[in-house]
Amino acid sequence: MPNFIIGSGPAQLPRNSDLGQLSKLDMLPFRKLIFTASQTWSPPRPVIANIYVTGGGGSPGANTTTSDGSSGGSGAGTAIKNGVLLLPNVVYTLVIGAGGAQAIAGGSGNAGGDSTFSGVGVPTLTGGGGRAGITMRHNSTAAFGFTQAQGGTASGGDINLRGGCGQAYMGVSPQAIGVAIVGGSTTPVVMAGPGGGSFWGPGASPTSPASNFGEGGGGTGVNGLSQGYAGYQGAIMIEFNE
């Protein structure tokens, strides 16, 4: 059985009078299929579809101790292609990117996997996986106030959305979050940051798991978890007229 979620709603797909009888479907409700596992797929008949391809979210770095901190994993990119003609005699390949795996204690996080949609007559759509978060030591004297894992990219769509950045903060106290520390004797305190968001949601809060497709896991911080959470897996959504 294919792994997907079925939904429905009012018609919102673009009209195309050049496609003959397909244009008669413009006023019908549309179906949403959300694919959560890699597979091949063909529509039941010719359809005009909107396609959304989101990669897997990145995971945060992991602490050596609960006094260290890490940036959240970044969110995945999403490629969006509108008004695509899909045919029942064409087999389309859907690859779903995994979320970045939980990091080993003291190490950086893991990037999420890319998701792709491809087939004859359709440009390959890629939602890039979110990037890995990093770990910062509480006694670091590095000259920065925060660090971030850049969001995943996307390609092939009419709209290519970049994922949100996973972030962590450094300051001399919780009141000084974001203040740069430059050399000197003051011991910086690392604060956990949020995971990056995706097309599907805003990203995980600090020290929290991701809960939507393509989101980065929340970073760990002082008195936080020694290991962060995995990033959330990607997904492909296809909307078409009933």
Side-chain angles (χ1 to χ4, degrees):
M1 293 291 289
N3 292 326
F4 57 75
I5 304 165
I6 299 176
S8 61
Q12 294 184 6
L13 298 181
R15 295 174 178 272
N16 192 332
S17 59
D18 294 331
L19 293 176
Q21 63 178 343
L22 287 179
S23 65
K24 299 177 183 178
L25 302 175
D26 287 338
M27 297 308 296
L28 295 178
F30 69 81
R31 172 171 291 194
K32 289 183 181 179
L33 300 180
I34 301 177
F35 295 85
T36 58
S38 299
Q39 59 195 273
T40 57
W41 174 82
S42 299
R45 52 174 175 73
V47 297
I48 302 172
N50 294 337
I51 305 171
Y52 306 77
V53 181
T54 302
S59 67
N63 300 349
T64 301
T65 71
T66 55
S67 296
D68 296 333
S70 69
S71 63
S74 75
T78 298
I80 303 171
K81 187 74 174 176
N82 296 317
V84 181
L85 175 60
L86 301 179
L87 301 172
N89 62 337
V90 175
V91 177
Y92 300 96
T93 300
L94 289 71
V95 176
I96 305 299
Q102 185 181 45
I104 298 172
S108 295
N110 294 288
D114 295 348
S115 295
T116 60
F117 180 95
S118 61
V120 175
V122 178
T124 298
L125 306 177
T126 302
R131 299 179 185 177
I134 65 172
T135 297
M136 298 188 295
R137 302 288 179 259
H138 73 284
N139 62 349
S140 171
T141 56
F144 56 76
F146 73 94
T147 186
Q148 57 187 10
Q150 295 296 317
T153 59
S155 63
D158 299 318
I159 301 172
N160 297 303
L161 301 176
R162 186 158 197 164
C165 297
Q167 299 185 4
Y169 304 93
M170 177 178 284
V172 295
S173 69
Q175 291 73 37
I177 292 173
V179 177
I181 304 300
V182 183
S185 59
T186 301
T187 300
V189 174
V190 176
M191 307 299 293
S198 73
F199 169 81
W200 297 87
S205 299
T207 69
S208 298
S211 58
N212 289 300
F213 298 123
E215 288 185 347
T220 60
V222 176
N223 298 322
L225 301 174
S226 62
Q227 289 181 267
Y229 294 97
Y232 210 88
Q233 73 165 79
I236 296 176
M237 181 169 70
I238 303 174
E239 298 176 335
F240 60 89
N241 294 114
E242 293 277 21

